[in-house]
């Protein structure tokens, strides 16, 4: 379930962060144990991330976050690592579907004005991103009601199980 608001620190990444970087291929045998795999999320792209990320922190990327293979485990371990949401100008399409289907909040937005370490407040209910220490910064974003409904149930399978329907 996604909350009405999330507050955390920004962790900046560049463009084209692949699912191979999110979920290191050399550890693919851990996919049967997602909590253990989550201890290695993004360690190839940024070794300090998994050691420093706190609950509700944000991954903030340039564009095409989650490109590459269709590893469904990638958004799952991001979520298990405690990340509140991933903000990016764009996402790999399969990653995007896998994330929504597993209840992970993704926000497509202009990330140029967000810096490493910024304390962000994401108002999901009103679809706006704010910087805690900058009252002038306010960035609206779009999130469909269908996505919110799926994420609020913890993912697509939970939604189908609860409502016995794909009618969203």
């Amino acid at each position: 379930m996604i909350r009405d608001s999330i507050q955390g620190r920004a962790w900046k990444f560049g463009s084209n962060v692949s699912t191979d970087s999110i979920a290191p291929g050399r550890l693919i045998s851990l996919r049967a144990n997602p909590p253990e795999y989550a201890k290695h999320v993004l360690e190839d792209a940024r070794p300090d991330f998994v050691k420093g990320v706190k609950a509700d922190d944000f991954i903030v990327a340039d564009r095409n976050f989650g490109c590459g293979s269709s590893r469904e485990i990638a958004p799952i371990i991001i979520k298990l690592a405690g990340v509140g949401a991933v903000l990016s100008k764009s996402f790999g399409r399969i990653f995007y579907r896998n994330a929504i289907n597993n209840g992970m909040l993704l926000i497509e937005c202009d990330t140029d004005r967000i810096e490493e370490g910024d304390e962000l407040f994401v108002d999901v209910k009103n679809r706006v991103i704010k910087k805690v220490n900058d009252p002038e910064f306010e960035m609206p974003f779009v999130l469909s009601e269908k996505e919110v409904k799926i994420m609020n149930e913890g993912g697509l399978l939970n939604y189908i199980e609860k409502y016995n329907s794909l009618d969203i």
Side-chain angles (χ1 to χ4, degrees):
M1 170 145 200
I2 58 172
R3 291 167 286 147
D4 288 341
S5 63
I6 305 165
Q7 184 170 325
R9 182 173 48 145
W11 291 79
K12 285 285 282 204
F13 290 83
S15 293
N16 304 312
V17 176
S18 76
T19 54
D20 296 333
S21 294
I22 297 165
R26 70 183 184 291
L27 301 171
I28 201 72
S29 63
L30 292 176
R31 71 177 174 251
N33 185 351
E36 188 62 31
Y37 208 173
K39 294 176 184 176
H40 302 278
V41 67
L42 286 159
E43 74 180 10
D44 288 350
R46 188 163 173 188
D48 65 327
F49 177 75
V50 77
K51 293 177 183 118
V53 69
K54 304 279 189 260
D56 295 336
D57 280 355
F58 299 97
I59 292 172
V60 179
D62 190 26
R63 52 181 91 255
N64 203 24
F65 187 87
C67 61
S69 69
S70 60
R71 291 185 187 172
E72 185 176 21
I73 195 71
I76 292 169
I77 64 174
I78 290 172
K79 186 176 174 183
L80 286 172
V83 172
V86 181
L87 288 61
S88 182
K89 292 177 185 173
S90 63
F91 294 92
R93 292 294 97 189
I94 295 172
F95 175 83
Y96 191 89
R97 285 190 301 275
N98 284 337
I100 299 302
N101 288 347
N102 283 287
M104 177 75 221
L105 179 59
L106 302 181
I107 299 172
E108 285 189 340
C109 62
D110 181 359
T111 57
D112 287 342
R113 296 184 305 145
I114 300 172
E115 301 297 327
E116 173 77 21
D118 280 348
E119 188 75 17
L120 302 177
F121 177 81
V122 174
D123 183 342
V124 177
K125 185 176 181 182
N126 294 303
R127 313 291 201 270
V128 67
I129 300 166
K130 299 178 181 184
K131 287 186 184 178
V132 172
N133 296 322
D134 182 355
E136 301 295 316
F137 183 91
E138 192 168 296
M139 181 176 14
F141 63 90
V142 176
L143 193 61
S144 80
E145 287 306 316
K146 287 181 181 182
E147 292 168 329
V148 171
K149 285 179 181 179
I150 292 168
M151 289 183 288
N152 276 336
E153 296 305 331
L156 185 60
L157 291 178
N158 291 346
Y159 182 92
I160 293 168
E161 186 175 298
K162 180 174 181 176
Y163 296 104
N164 197 29
S165 172
L166 273 173
D167 190 21
I168 300 172

